[in-house]
Amino acid sequence: MNEDFEPTIVAFLCNWCSYAGADLAGTSRMHYLPNVRIIRVMCSGRVNPLFLLNALQQGADGVLISGCHPGDCHYLEGNYYARRRFVLMRKLLEHVGVDPGRINMSWVSASEGAKFKDIIEKAVEGAKESGPMEQFKRRKINW
Amino acid sequence: MVDIEDLREKARETISRDDVRCVFGWKRGTYGYESAPAVVRKPEDADSLIFDATCVQNPASFVVLEEKLPVPRGKEPDTRKIAVFVKGCDSRAVVQHLVENAYLRENIVVLGIPCMGVIDRRKAEKLFGESLEPVEAECSGDKVALNFGGERKEVERSDVLSEKCLRCRYPNPILSDIMLGTEVEKRAEDEFADVSEFEKKSADEKWAFWEEQFSKCVRCYACRNVCPMCYCIDCVVTKLKPQWTRRSTDISENTVYHIQRAWHLAGRCIECMECERVCPMNIPIMTLNRKMTKEVREMFDHEPGVDPEAKPLLASYNPQDPEEYIL
């Protein structure tokens, strides 16, 4: 494990819970790791697994998908669909040889700023253990 | 076994019906170990139809293509039924189409054929070399008899049959309107031994294997085109706005193409192995699909293409789905 390596985590947060949770962490002056790049989506069910592949292609070392707790989805069932989707995607990437520690999923509600901070720490730690994502990152081709 | 005359007679009867537009089946190819797909639109065309162990193609693929044909301006769409000959594995594709509402049950006529297995061109070519003659093959018991234009050769079943047939659990069509021949008995169980074997490798070994395989890919999209389940009018890999996978054939884009193709078939793949058969670069595509099938069976106890009343896996949910991976 390389201690100097700072991974980039792309986080897809749902507008109603996790994004508000991240906002709470900020307004409560909690210090969370700066490795995370947040993309707000309306629901975790909105996240197409191609987003995840594309993030890994463009140089992310880890991905985090976060939504409302099961049963609390603003759209009633979006996070249930997301859960099915990403458990399969994770297995598939594992089969291809991508470290499953790079793909994280969590439930963070709007009142869980501290949990959000912990989740980011765990995701960064997971990506640090896996090392830089080089397997199918887009390489610059000079003709 | 199916009597060819009976098969042709049933096809002739079906196409003579006023409400049937065409019949999809197989006819003898011009060379090699695989027969050609056939479309019967007139009763007299039915005489060319055959069925034996060379009928590898999955005619269920054509049903969705015929169904979605664009209608020229000013013309009425053809609302007649489509008839299709299916083996056991092909019938699963039809069932899965019905689950996904690709077409309605009343719009198709399914002619079921119990199947003893079909031959794998690659295995046969390894044994006998390429054949310039159309080969006939007959499967009976543990032996397969190949007929090279009069010259007869007999081999063991496992030497020449496709992998999917050696682990086939549905030799008889799951759904059919007209059943031909007599039902054959199921001879194997599928324990996913090949997938479990691959899973034992370390992540680096897995990636080393796939890096080699994916870098061979020329992105001809034959695997997608032949797949009975890939019937989107606008496929995500050829879409330009947004363009999720670029068209260059480097390892990054190829990997993403294969991952997303396998993922789009998660909980839908009926294991007809057409993708692997048509691959010009011999990429073991089914290994990815079978991994998904195995996980779907273990985690969700779901098997695609078996129950026409089932719900599509990824368009349904259960509050008790596994979530131990969630942080």
Side-chain angles (χ1 to χ4, degrees), chain A residues 57 77 80 83-85 87-89 95 105 107 135-136 138-139, chain B residues 198 207 246 252-253 263 313 316-319 321 323 325 327:
Chain A
Q57 267 190 308
E77 49 193 22
Y80 286 124
R83 182 169 64 180
R84 270 206 169 173
R85 224 172 267 168
V87 69
L88 284 174
M89 194 62 192
H95 199 62
M105 193 169 183
W107 311 130
Q135 285 160 324
F136 57 88
R138 254 181 208 151
R139 293 162 179 86
Chain B
F198 191 84
W207 175 248
R246 294 184 187 170
S252 169
E253 310 300 334
W263 192 79
L313 178 80
S316 56
Y317 68 88
N318 176 354
D321 276 343
E323 63 166 20
Y325 76 107
L327 290 177

PDB file of all heavy atoms in Angstrom, chain A residues 57 77 80 83-85 87-89 95 105 107 135-136 138-139, chain B residues 198 207 246 252-253 263 313 316-319 321 323 325 327:
ATOM      1  N   GLN A  57     -13.143   4.769 -16.190  1.00  0.00           N
ATOM      2  CA  GLN A  57     -12.383   5.002 -17.413  1.00  0.00           C
ATOM      3  C   GLN A  57     -11.680   6.348 -17.392  1.00  0.00           C
ATOM      4  O   GLN A  57     -10.575   6.484 -17.891  1.00  0.00           O
ATOM      5  CB  GLN A  57     -13.334   5.007 -18.614  1.00  0.00           C
ATOM      6  CG  GLN A  57     -13.486   3.694 -19.300  1.00  0.00           C
ATOM      7  CD  GLN A  57     -14.250   3.871 -20.591  1.00  0.00           C
ATOM      8  OE1 GLN A  57     -15.334   4.451 -20.629  1.00  0.00           O
ATOM      9  NE2 GLN A  57     -13.686   3.382 -21.664  1.00  0.00           N
ATOM     10  N   GLU A  77     -39.227   3.715  -4.299  1.00  0.00           N
ATOM     11  CA  GLU A  77     -38.567   2.436  -4.508  1.00  0.00           C
ATOM     12  C   GLU A  77     -37.276   2.529  -5.315  1.00  0.00           C
ATOM     13  O   GLU A  77     -36.688   1.498  -5.617  1.00  0.00           O
ATOM     14  CB  GLU A  77     -39.543   1.470  -5.198  1.00  0.00           C
ATOM     15  CG  GLU A  77     -40.206   2.067  -6.403  1.00  0.00           C
ATOM     16  CD  GLU A  77     -41.392   1.250  -6.904  1.00  0.00           C
ATOM     17  OE1 GLU A  77     -41.963   0.471  -6.126  1.00  0.00           O
ATOM     18  OE2 GLU A  77     -41.730   1.424  -8.076  1.00  0.00           O
ATOM     19  N   TYR A  80     -34.231   0.642  -3.982  1.00  0.00           N
ATOM     20  CA  TYR A  80     -34.304  -0.817  -4.050  1.00  0.00           C
ATOM     21  C   TYR A  80     -33.788  -1.318  -5.398  1.00  0.00           C
ATOM     22  O   TYR A  80     -33.080  -2.318  -5.475  1.00  0.00           O
ATOM     23  CB  TYR A  80     -35.748  -1.308  -3.875  1.00  0.00           C
ATOM     24  CG  TYR A  80     -36.277  -1.215  -2.465  1.00  0.00           C
ATOM     25  CD1 TYR A  80     -37.435  -0.521  -2.193  1.00  0.00           C
ATOM     26  CD2 TYR A  80     -35.625  -1.850  -1.424  1.00  0.00           C
ATOM     27  CE1 TYR A  80     -37.942  -0.449  -0.906  1.00  0.00           C
ATOM     28  CE2 TYR A  80     -36.121  -1.785  -0.140  1.00  0.00           C
ATOM     29  CZ  TYR A  80     -37.282  -1.083   0.123  1.00  0.00           C
ATOM     30  OH  TYR A  80     -37.775  -1.020   1.376  1.00  0.00           O
ATOM     31  N   ARG A  83     -30.035  -1.006  -5.511  1.00  0.00           N
ATOM     32  CA  ARG A  83     -29.353  -2.020  -4.715  1.00  0.00           C
ATOM     33  C   ARG A  83     -29.166  -3.300  -5.521  1.00  0.00           C
ATOM     34  O   ARG A  83     -28.088  -3.882  -5.541  1.00  0.00           O
ATOM     35  CB  ARG A  83     -30.186  -2.293  -3.466  1.00  0.00           C
ATOM     36  CG  ARG A  83     -29.563  -3.279  -2.541  1.00  0.00           C
ATOM     37  CD  ARG A  83     -30.273  -3.305  -1.226  1.00  0.00           C
ATOM     38  NE  ARG A  83     -31.649  -3.767  -1.348  1.00  0.00           N
ATOM     39  CZ  ARG A  83     -32.477  -3.871  -0.319  1.00  0.00           C
ATOM     40  NH1 ARG A  83     -32.092  -3.504   0.882  1.00  0.00           N
ATOM     41  NH2 ARG A  83     -33.701  -4.302  -0.486  1.00  0.00           N
ATOM     42  N   ARG A  84     -30.222  -3.730  -6.224  1.00  0.00           N
ATOM     43  CA  ARG A  84     -30.120  -4.930  -7.068  1.00  0.00           C
ATOM     44  C   ARG A  84     -29.085  -4.740  -8.144  1.00  0.00           C
ATOM     45  O   ARG A  84     -28.291  -5.612  -8.445  1.00  0.00           O
ATOM     46  CB  ARG A  84     -31.455  -5.187  -7.765  1.00  0.00           C
ATOM     47  CG  ARG A  84     -32.337  -6.045  -6.963  1.00  0.00           C
ATOM     48  CD  ARG A  84     -33.304  -6.804  -7.809  1.00  0.00           C
ATOM     49  NE  ARG A  84     -33.904  -7.786  -6.919  1.00  0.00           N
ATOM     50  CZ  ARG A  84     -34.892  -8.576  -7.222  1.00  0.00           C
ATOM     51  NH1 ARG A  84     -35.420  -8.518  -8.409  1.00  0.00           N
ATOM     52  NH2 ARG A  84     -35.360  -9.428  -6.355  1.00  0.00           N
ATOM     53  N   ARG A  85     -29.144  -3.566  -8.779  1.00  0.00           N
ATOM     54  CA  ARG A  85     -28.287  -3.281  -9.900  1.00  0.00           C
ATOM     55  C   ARG A  85     -26.825  -3.343  -9.508  1.00  0.00           C
ATOM     56  O   ARG A  85     -26.019  -3.978 -10.161  1.00  0.00           O
ATOM     57  CB  ARG A  85     -28.608  -1.856 -10.321  1.00  0.00           C
ATOM     58  CG  ARG A  85     -28.729  -1.635 -11.750  1.00  0.00           C
ATOM     59  CD  ARG A  85     -29.229  -0.247 -11.971  1.00  0.00           C
ATOM     60  NE  ARG A  85     -30.675  -0.189 -12.074  1.00  0.00           N
ATOM     61  CZ  ARG A  85     -31.361   0.945 -12.030  1.00  0.00           C
ATOM     62  NH1 ARG A  85     -30.743   2.091 -11.844  1.00  0.00           N
ATOM     63  NH2 ARG A  85     -32.647   0.925 -12.151  1.00  0.00           N
ATOM     64  N   VAL A  87     -25.305  -4.585  -6.819  1.00  0.00           N
ATOM     65  CA  VAL A  87     -24.737  -5.821  -6.286  1.00  0.00           C
ATOM     66  C   VAL A  87     -24.288  -6.710  -7.444  1.00  0.00           C
ATOM     67  O   VAL A  87     -23.226  -7.338  -7.400  1.00  0.00           O
ATOM     68  CB  VAL A  87     -25.728  -6.535  -5.329  1.00  0.00           C
ATOM     69  CG1 VAL A  87     -26.915  -7.094  -6.041  1.00  0.00           C
ATOM     70  CG2 VAL A  87     -25.046  -7.640  -4.570  1.00  0.00           C
ATOM     71  N   LEU A  88     -25.055  -6.692  -8.543  1.00  0.00           N
ATOM     72  CA  LEU A  88     -24.660  -7.487  -9.716  1.00  0.00           C
ATOM     73  C   LEU A  88     -23.451  -6.874 -10.407  1.00  0.00           C
ATOM     74  O   LEU A  88     -22.536  -7.577 -10.827  1.00  0.00           O
ATOM     75  CB  LEU A  88     -25.828  -7.581 -10.700  1.00  0.00           C
ATOM     76  CG  LEU A  88     -26.938  -8.540 -10.316  1.00  0.00           C
ATOM     77  CD1 LEU A  88     -28.086  -8.418 -11.291  1.00  0.00           C
ATOM     78  CD2 LEU A  88     -26.438  -9.964 -10.301  1.00  0.00           C
ATOM     79  N   MET A  89     -23.454  -5.547 -10.535  1.00  0.00           N
ATOM     80  CA  MET A  89     -22.345  -4.867 -11.208  1.00  0.00           C
ATOM     81  C   MET A  89     -21.041  -5.115 -10.472  1.00  0.00           C
ATOM     82  O   MET A  89     -19.995  -5.331 -11.077  1.00  0.00           O
ATOM     83  CB  MET A  89     -22.645  -3.367 -11.246  1.00  0.00           C
ATOM     84  CG  MET A  89     -21.761  -2.610 -12.183  1.00  0.00           C
ATOM     85  SD  MET A  89     -22.031  -3.215 -13.843  1.00  0.00           S
ATOM     86  CE  MET A  89     -20.682  -2.465 -14.681  1.00  0.00           C
ATOM     87  N   HIS A  95     -15.403 -10.229 -11.232  1.00  0.00           N
ATOM     88  CA  HIS A  95     -15.092 -11.347 -12.127  1.00  0.00           C
ATOM     89  C   HIS A  95     -14.078 -10.951 -13.193  1.00  0.00           C
ATOM     90  O   HIS A  95     -13.296 -11.758 -13.652  1.00  0.00           O
ATOM     91  CB  HIS A  95     -16.389 -11.809 -12.796  1.00  0.00           C
ATOM     92  CG  HIS A  95     -16.314 -13.181 -13.378  1.00  0.00           C
ATOM     93  ND1 HIS A  95     -16.090 -14.284 -12.612  1.00  0.00           N
ATOM     94  CD2 HIS A  95     -16.430 -13.630 -14.655  1.00  0.00           C
ATOM     95  CE1 HIS A  95     -16.071 -15.351 -13.393  1.00  0.00           C
ATOM     96  NE2 HIS A  95     -16.268 -14.976 -14.629  1.00  0.00           N
ATOM     97  N   MET A 105     -21.237   1.346  -1.921  1.00  0.00           N
ATOM     98  CA  MET A 105     -22.607   1.835  -1.906  1.00  0.00           C
ATOM     99  C   MET A 105     -23.008   2.034  -0.456  1.00  0.00           C
ATOM    100  O   MET A 105     -22.565   1.282   0.421  1.00  0.00           O
ATOM    101  CB  MET A 105     -23.517   0.814  -2.577  1.00  0.00           C
ATOM    102  CG  MET A 105     -24.870   1.390  -2.861  1.00  0.00           C
ATOM    103  SD  MET A 105     -25.836   0.341  -3.914  1.00  0.00           S
ATOM    104  CE  MET A 105     -27.270   1.384  -4.083  1.00  0.00           C
ATOM    105  N   TRP A 107     -26.115   3.911   2.406  1.00  0.00           N
ATOM    106  CA  TRP A 107     -27.357   4.645   2.669  1.00  0.00           C
ATOM    107  C   TRP A 107     -27.021   5.748   3.674  1.00  0.00           C
ATOM    108  O   TRP A 107     -26.562   5.469   4.777  1.00  0.00           O
ATOM    109  CB  TRP A 107     -28.438   3.755   3.258  1.00  0.00           C
ATOM    110  CG  TRP A 107     -28.716   2.460   2.565  1.00  0.00           C
ATOM    111  CD1 TRP A 107     -28.778   1.235   3.166  1.00  0.00           C
ATOM    112  CD2 TRP A 107     -29.023   2.236   1.192  1.00  0.00           C
ATOM    113  NE1 TRP A 107     -29.090   0.276   2.239  1.00  0.00           N
ATOM    114  CE2 TRP A 107     -29.232   0.856   1.025  1.00  0.00           C
ATOM    115  CE3 TRP A 107     -29.113   3.056   0.076  1.00  0.00           C
ATOM    116  CZ2 TRP A 107     -29.547   0.285  -0.205  1.00  0.00           C
ATOM    117  CZ3 TRP A 107     -29.425   2.486  -1.144  1.00  0.00           C
ATOM    118  CH2 TRP A 107     -29.644   1.124  -1.285  1.00  0.00           C
ATOM    119  N   GLN A 135      -6.414  -0.417 -14.734  1.00  0.00           N
ATOM    120  CA  GLN A 135      -6.777  -1.535 -15.597  1.00  0.00           C
ATOM    121  C   GLN A 135      -7.431  -1.090 -16.897  1.00  0.00           C
ATOM    122  O   GLN A 135      -6.934  -1.380 -17.969  1.00  0.00           O
ATOM    123  CB  GLN A 135      -7.674  -2.497 -14.830  1.00  0.00           C
ATOM    124  CG  GLN A 135      -6.876  -3.309 -13.828  1.00  0.00           C
ATOM    125  CD  GLN A 135      -7.749  -3.893 -12.756  1.00  0.00           C
ATOM    126  OE1 GLN A 135      -8.709  -3.274 -12.327  1.00  0.00           O
ATOM    127  NE2 GLN A 135      -7.425  -5.086 -12.321  1.00  0.00           N
ATOM    128  N   PHE A 136      -8.554  -0.382 -16.784  1.00  0.00           N
ATOM    129  CA  PHE A 136      -9.130   0.056 -18.056  1.00  0.00           C
ATOM    130  C   PHE A 136      -9.352   1.555 -18.088  1.00  0.00           C
ATOM    131  O   PHE A 136     -10.304   2.048 -18.648  1.00  0.00           O
ATOM    132  CB  PHE A 136     -10.379  -0.740 -18.448  1.00  0.00           C
ATOM    133  CG  PHE A 136     -11.513  -0.731 -17.460  1.00  0.00           C
ATOM    134  CD1 PHE A 136     -12.476   0.257 -17.494  1.00  0.00           C
ATOM    135  CD2 PHE A 136     -11.620  -1.735 -16.523  1.00  0.00           C
ATOM    136  CE1 PHE A 136     -13.526   0.246 -16.608  1.00  0.00           C
ATOM    137  CE2 PHE A 136     -12.672  -1.750 -15.637  1.00  0.00           C
ATOM    138  CZ  PHE A 136     -13.628  -0.748 -15.674  1.00  0.00           C
ATOM    139  N   ARG A 138      -8.776   5.157 -19.480  1.00  0.00           N
ATOM    140  CA  ARG A 138      -8.510   5.614 -20.856  1.00  0.00           C
ATOM    141  C   ARG A 138      -7.102   6.143 -20.958  1.00  0.00           C
ATOM    142  O   ARG A 138      -6.703   6.981 -20.171  1.00  0.00           O
ATOM    143  CB  ARG A 138      -9.476   6.738 -21.212  1.00  0.00           C
ATOM    144  CG  ARG A 138     -10.542   6.295 -22.152  1.00  0.00           C
ATOM    145  CD  ARG A 138     -11.474   7.417 -22.506  1.00  0.00           C
ATOM    146  NE  ARG A 138     -12.773   6.800 -22.811  1.00  0.00           N
ATOM    147  CZ  ARG A 138     -13.933   7.386 -22.629  1.00  0.00           C
ATOM    148  NH1 ARG A 138     -14.009   8.605 -22.149  1.00  0.00           N
ATOM    149  NH2 ARG A 138     -15.049   6.783 -22.928  1.00  0.00           N
ATOM    150  N   ARG A 139      -6.370   5.606 -21.891  1.00  0.00           N
ATOM    151  CA  ARG A 139      -5.006   6.094 -22.081  1.00  0.00           C
ATOM    152  C   ARG A 139      -4.999   7.110 -23.202  1.00  0.00           C
ATOM    153  O   ARG A 139      -5.758   6.996 -24.152  1.00  0.00           O
ATOM    154  CB  ARG A 139      -4.074   4.936 -22.427  1.00  0.00           C
ATOM    155  CG  ARG A 139      -3.890   3.973 -21.277  1.00  0.00           C
ATOM    156  CD  ARG A 139      -3.348   2.653 -21.782  1.00  0.00           C
ATOM    157  NE  ARG A 139      -3.141   1.715 -20.669  1.00  0.00           N
ATOM    158  CZ  ARG A 139      -4.082   0.923 -20.176  1.00  0.00           C
ATOM    159  NH1 ARG A 139      -5.306   0.973 -20.649  1.00  0.00           N
ATOM    160  NH2 ARG A 139      -3.819   0.090 -19.193  1.00  0.00           N
TER     161      ARG A 139
ATOM    162  N   PHE B 198     -13.118 -20.457 -12.341  1.00  0.00           N
ATOM    163  CA  PHE B 198     -12.523 -19.163 -12.693  1.00  0.00           C
ATOM    164  C   PHE B 198     -12.475 -18.237 -11.490  1.00  0.00           C
ATOM    165  O   PHE B 198     -11.540 -17.464 -11.327  1.00  0.00           O
ATOM    166  CB  PHE B 198     -13.332 -18.511 -13.821  1.00  0.00           C
ATOM    167  CG  PHE B 198     -12.660 -17.316 -14.426  1.00  0.00           C
ATOM    168  CD1 PHE B 198     -11.723 -17.481 -15.424  1.00  0.00           C
ATOM    169  CD2 PHE B 198     -12.937 -16.034 -13.979  1.00  0.00           C
ATOM    170  CE1 PHE B 198     -11.076 -16.391 -15.978  1.00  0.00           C
ATOM    171  CE2 PHE B 198     -12.293 -14.939 -14.513  1.00  0.00           C
ATOM    172  CZ  PHE B 198     -11.366 -15.123 -15.518  1.00  0.00           C
ATOM    173  N   TRP B 207      -7.621 -10.445 -14.272  1.00  0.00           N
ATOM    174  CA  TRP B 207      -7.446  -9.314 -15.181  1.00  0.00           C
ATOM    175  C   TRP B 207      -6.465  -9.656 -16.294  1.00  0.00           C
ATOM    176  O   TRP B 207      -6.690  -9.289 -17.452  1.00  0.00           O
ATOM    177  CB  TRP B 207      -6.997  -8.063 -14.427  1.00  0.00           C
ATOM    178  CG  TRP B 207      -6.714  -6.956 -15.380  1.00  0.00           C
ATOM    179  CD1 TRP B 207      -5.502  -6.403 -15.655  1.00  0.00           C
ATOM    180  CD2 TRP B 207      -7.659  -6.283 -16.240  1.00  0.00           C
ATOM    181  NE1 TRP B 207      -5.630  -5.445 -16.631  1.00  0.00           N
ATOM    182  CE2 TRP B 207      -6.942  -5.350 -17.002  1.00  0.00           C
ATOM    183  CE3 TRP B 207      -9.035  -6.401 -16.433  1.00  0.00           C
ATOM    184  CZ2 TRP B 207      -7.553  -4.534 -17.943  1.00  0.00           C
ATOM    185  CZ3 TRP B 207      -9.643  -5.585 -17.376  1.00  0.00           C
ATOM    186  CH2 TRP B 207      -8.903  -4.665 -18.120  1.00  0.00           C
ATOM    187  N   ARG B 246     -16.486   4.653 -26.547  1.00  0.00           N
ATOM    188  CA  ARG B 246     -15.972   5.139 -27.828  1.00  0.00           C
ATOM    189  C   ARG B 246     -15.763   3.962 -28.752  1.00  0.00           C
ATOM    190  O   ARG B 246     -15.691   2.821 -28.320  1.00  0.00           O
ATOM    191  CB  ARG B 246     -14.654   5.876 -27.593  1.00  0.00           C
ATOM    192  CG  ARG B 246     -14.882   7.129 -26.780  1.00  0.00           C
ATOM    193  CD  ARG B 246     -13.602   7.876 -26.634  1.00  0.00           C
ATOM    194  NE  ARG B 246     -13.805   8.995 -25.721  1.00  0.00           N
ATOM    195  CZ  ARG B 246     -12.813   9.719 -25.247  1.00  0.00           C
ATOM    196  NH1 ARG B 246     -11.564   9.436 -25.577  1.00  0.00           N
ATOM    197  NH2 ARG B 246     -13.054  10.722 -24.439  1.00  0.00           N
ATOM    198  N   SER B 252      -9.322  -0.166 -22.995  1.00  0.00           N
ATOM    199  CA  SER B 252     -10.286   0.520 -22.130  1.00  0.00           C
ATOM    200  C   SER B 252     -11.705   0.416 -22.680  1.00  0.00           C
ATOM    201  O   SER B 252     -12.637  -0.004 -21.986  1.00  0.00           O
ATOM    202  CB  SER B 252      -9.854   1.983 -22.001  1.00  0.00           C
ATOM    203  OG  SER B 252     -10.856   2.723 -21.391  1.00  0.00           O
ATOM    204  N   GLU B 253     -11.874   0.770 -23.947  1.00  0.00           N
ATOM    205  CA  GLU B 253     -13.218   0.765 -24.543  1.00  0.00           C
ATOM    206  C   GLU B 253     -13.740  -0.668 -24.702  1.00  0.00           C
ATOM    207  O   GLU B 253     -14.918  -0.935 -24.496  1.00  0.00           O
ATOM    208  CB  GLU B 253     -13.223   1.472 -25.896  1.00  0.00           C
ATOM    209  CG  GLU B 253     -12.581   2.845 -25.904  1.00  0.00           C
ATOM    210  CD  GLU B 253     -13.239   3.824 -24.963  1.00  0.00           C
ATOM    211  OE1 GLU B 253     -14.434   3.662 -24.672  1.00  0.00           O
ATOM    212  OE2 GLU B 253     -12.550   4.745 -24.503  1.00  0.00           O
ATOM    213  N   TRP B 263     -23.578  -6.952 -18.564  1.00  0.00           N
ATOM    214  CA  TRP B 263     -24.470  -6.407 -17.545  1.00  0.00           C
ATOM    215  C   TRP B 263     -25.888  -6.222 -18.069  1.00  0.00           C
ATOM    216  O   TRP B 263     -26.861  -6.454 -17.357  1.00  0.00           O
ATOM    217  CB  TRP B 263     -23.917  -5.091 -17.000  1.00  0.00           C
ATOM    218  CG  TRP B 263     -24.681  -4.729 -15.797  1.00  0.00           C
ATOM    219  CD1 TRP B 263     -24.519  -5.241 -14.553  1.00  0.00           C
ATOM    220  CD2 TRP B 263     -25.793  -3.852 -15.732  1.00  0.00           C
ATOM    221  NE1 TRP B 263     -25.475  -4.743 -13.723  1.00  0.00           N
ATOM    222  CE2 TRP B 263     -26.245  -3.892 -14.411  1.00  0.00           C
ATOM    223  CE3 TRP B 263     -26.430  -3.046 -16.655  1.00  0.00           C
ATOM    224  CZ2 TRP B 263     -27.336  -3.135 -14.005  1.00  0.00           C
ATOM    225  CZ3 TRP B 263     -27.510  -2.305 -16.253  1.00  0.00           C
ATOM    226  CH2 TRP B 263     -27.948  -2.357 -14.934  1.00  0.00           C
ATOM    227  N   LEU B 313     -36.048  -9.321 -13.796  1.00  0.00           N
ATOM    228  CA  LEU B 313     -35.300  -9.255 -12.545  1.00  0.00           C
ATOM    229  C   LEU B 313     -34.967  -7.824 -12.127  1.00  0.00           C
ATOM    230  O   LEU B 313     -35.222  -7.435 -10.995  1.00  0.00           O
ATOM    231  CB  LEU B 313     -33.998 -10.050 -12.672  1.00  0.00           C
ATOM    232  CG  LEU B 313     -33.121  -9.991 -11.436  1.00  0.00           C
ATOM    233  CD1 LEU B 313     -33.619 -10.943 -10.383  1.00  0.00           C
ATOM    234  CD2 LEU B 313     -31.683 -10.291 -11.770  1.00  0.00           C
ATOM    235  N   SER B 316     -37.765  -5.257 -10.957  1.00  0.00           N
ATOM    236  CA  SER B 316     -38.554  -5.587  -9.775  1.00  0.00           C
ATOM    237  C   SER B 316     -37.594  -5.583  -8.590  1.00  0.00           C
ATOM    238  O   SER B 316     -36.389  -5.520  -8.771  1.00  0.00           O
ATOM    239  CB  SER B 316     -39.219  -6.953  -9.930  1.00  0.00           C
ATOM    240  OG  SER B 316     -38.252  -7.926 -10.196  1.00  0.00           O
ATOM    241  N   TYR B 317     -38.101  -5.646  -7.400  1.00  0.00           N
ATOM    242  CA  TYR B 317     -37.220  -5.679  -6.246  1.00  0.00           C
ATOM    243  C   TYR B 317     -37.892  -6.407  -5.109  1.00  0.00           C
ATOM    244  O   TYR B 317     -39.091  -6.660  -5.128  1.00  0.00           O
ATOM    245  CB  TYR B 317     -36.831  -4.268  -5.800  1.00  0.00           C
ATOM    246  CG  TYR B 317     -37.986  -3.471  -5.236  1.00  0.00           C
ATOM    247  CD1 TYR B 317     -38.311  -3.538  -3.888  1.00  0.00           C
ATOM    248  CD2 TYR B 317     -38.766  -2.673  -6.055  1.00  0.00           C
ATOM    249  CE1 TYR B 317     -39.370  -2.833  -3.365  1.00  0.00           C
ATOM    250  CE2 TYR B 317     -39.838  -1.970  -5.549  1.00  0.00           C
ATOM    251  CZ  TYR B 317     -40.135  -2.056  -4.211  1.00  0.00           C
ATOM    252  OH  TYR B 317     -41.198  -1.371  -3.707  1.00  0.00           O
ATOM    253  N   ASN B 318     -37.070  -6.753  -4.142  1.00  0.00           N
ATOM    254  CA  ASN B 318     -37.576  -7.386  -2.943  1.00  0.00           C
ATOM    255  C   ASN B 318     -36.924  -6.636  -1.784  1.00  0.00           C
ATOM    256  O   ASN B 318     -35.710  -6.467  -1.781  1.00  0.00           O
ATOM    257  CB  ASN B 318     -37.155  -8.862  -2.976  1.00  0.00           C
ATOM    258  CG  ASN B 318     -37.553  -9.606  -1.732  1.00  0.00           C
ATOM    259  OD1 ASN B 318     -38.058  -9.014  -0.784  1.00  0.00           O
ATOM    260  ND2 ASN B 318     -37.315 -10.892  -1.725  1.00  0.00           N
ATOM    261  N   PRO B 319     -37.693  -6.157  -0.822  1.00  0.00           N
ATOM    262  CA  PRO B 319     -37.058  -5.406   0.278  1.00  0.00           C
ATOM    263  C   PRO B 319     -35.990  -6.219   1.006  1.00  0.00           C
ATOM    264  O   PRO B 319     -35.124  -5.642   1.649  1.00  0.00           O
ATOM    265  CB  PRO B 319     -38.232  -5.077   1.193  1.00  0.00           C
ATOM    266  CG  PRO B 319     -39.422  -5.120   0.322  1.00  0.00           C
ATOM    267  CD  PRO B 319     -39.149  -6.125  -0.733  1.00  0.00           C
ATOM    268  N   ASP B 321     -33.585  -7.962  -0.364  1.00  0.00           N
ATOM    269  CA  ASP B 321     -32.435  -8.235  -1.230  1.00  0.00           C
ATOM    270  C   ASP B 321     -31.134  -8.184  -0.430  1.00  0.00           C
ATOM    271  O   ASP B 321     -31.064  -7.492   0.587  1.00  0.00           O
ATOM    272  CB  ASP B 321     -32.372  -7.186  -2.341  1.00  0.00           C
ATOM    273  CG  ASP B 321     -33.274  -7.534  -3.497  1.00  0.00           C
ATOM    274  OD1 ASP B 321     -33.678  -8.701  -3.573  1.00  0.00           O
ATOM    275  OD2 ASP B 321     -33.575  -6.640  -4.298  1.00  0.00           O
ATOM    276  N   GLU B 323     -27.700  -7.110   1.048  1.00  0.00           N
ATOM    277  CA  GLU B 323     -27.044  -5.804   1.112  1.00  0.00           C
ATOM    278  C   GLU B 323     -25.833  -5.815   2.024  1.00  0.00           C
ATOM    279  O   GLU B 323     -25.467  -4.803   2.597  1.00  0.00           O
ATOM    280  CB  GLU B 323     -28.038  -4.701   1.485  1.00  0.00           C
ATOM    281  CG  GLU B 323     -28.695  -4.801   2.839  1.00  0.00           C
ATOM    282  CD  GLU B 323     -29.381  -3.470   3.184  1.00  0.00           C
ATOM    283  OE1 GLU B 323     -29.658  -2.666   2.291  1.00  0.00           O
ATOM    284  OE2 GLU B 323     -29.601  -3.252   4.372  1.00  0.00           O
ATOM    285  N   TYR B 325     -22.914  -5.875   1.151  1.00  0.00           N
ATOM    286  CA  TYR B 325     -21.812  -5.101   0.574  1.00  0.00           C
ATOM    287  C   TYR B 325     -21.953  -3.612   0.836  1.00  0.00           C
ATOM    288  O   TYR B 325     -21.067  -2.835   0.545  1.00  0.00           O
ATOM    289  CB  TYR B 325     -21.712  -5.365  -0.932  1.00  0.00           C
ATOM    290  CG  TYR B 325     -22.773  -4.674  -1.770  1.00  0.00           C
ATOM    291  CD1 TYR B 325     -22.449  -3.581  -2.563  1.00  0.00           C
ATOM    292  CD2 TYR B 325     -24.090  -5.115  -1.769  1.00  0.00           C
ATOM    293  CE1 TYR B 325     -23.399  -2.951  -3.333  1.00  0.00           C
ATOM    294  CE2 TYR B 325     -25.041  -4.496  -2.530  1.00  0.00           C
ATOM    295  CZ  TYR B 325     -24.688  -3.411  -3.318  1.00  0.00           C
ATOM    296  OH  TYR B 325     -25.648  -2.801  -4.077  1.00  0.00           O
ATOM    297  N   LEU B 327     -21.886  -0.181   2.671  1.00  0.00           N
ATOM    298  CA  LEU B 327     -21.081   0.343   3.778  1.00  0.00           C
ATOM    299  C   LEU B 327     -21.964   0.828   4.929  1.00  0.00           C
ATOM    300  O   LEU B 327     -23.011   1.397   4.699  1.00  0.00           O
ATOM    301  CB  LEU B 327     -20.232   1.530   3.291  1.00  0.00           C
ATOM    302  CG  LEU B 327     -19.085   1.197   2.347  1.00  0.00           C
ATOM    303  CD1 LEU B 327     -18.412   2.501   1.920  1.00  0.00           C
ATOM    304  CD2 LEU B 327     -18.056   0.322   3.018  1.00  0.00           C
TER     305      LEU B 327
END
